[in-house]
Amino acid sequence: PVVVAFPSHVPREVSWWAPGGPPVERMVPFADDVDYRSFVVEVPLHVVEAGGFVDVLVRMGAAELEARRAAMRRARPLLRFDFGGSGPDAFTATLRQVWRFLDR
């Protein structure tokens, strides 16, 4: 996945939604369990405005692409439901978030 990193309404944070939008960690599911930035390519808004969006993608090397693919494969089980119960899944991540909230 490739996103534009807009400035968030929170200082020093970025939003993947819109300028002045919520920080990434408040808009993606299971932000405490899934390292989205390990597989999502963020292109800063100023780079996009300067016409450098495609250049960022073209300059990505094979090793970086493979590292991002591997990170996405690691995150996949936490973003889907495993009805067979063979390992942690989105249901597990949901419960973790509830427990974290209740522990505050």
Side-chain angles (χ1 to χ4, degrees):
V2 180
V3 299
V4 175
F6 298 102
S8 171
H9 64 72
V10 176
R12 296 176 301 282
E13 296 288 336
V14 299
S15 175
W16 291 347
W17 181 57
V24 171
E25 289 73 21
R26 292 188 193 162
M27 60 182 288
V28 295
F30 320 126
D32 292 334
D33 297 310
V34 177
D35 179 11
Y36 289 91
R37 287 194 164 97
S38 67
F39 60 88
V40 173
V41 178
E42 289 183 320
V43 182
L45 179 60
H46 67 88
V47 173
V48 173
E49 291 173 338
F53 183 83
V54 173
D55 292 334
V56 168
L57 303 180
V58 170
R59 284 194 309 264
M60 291 180 66
E64 181 179 356
L65 289 172
E66 184 49 43
R68 289 180 183 277
R69 285 186 193 113
M72 193 179 310
R73 285 190 291 272
R74 286 190 303 275
R76 184 176 184 263
L78 294 175
L79 298 172
R80 66 179 188 85
F81 290 98
D82 177 9
F83 295 104
S86 64
D89 65 352
F91 181 74
T92 308
T94 301
L95 289 180
R96 279 191 204 127
Q97 292 218 277
V98 169
W99 291 328
R100 285 183 191 119
F101 177 78
L102 294 175
D103 280 345
R104 290 184 193 178

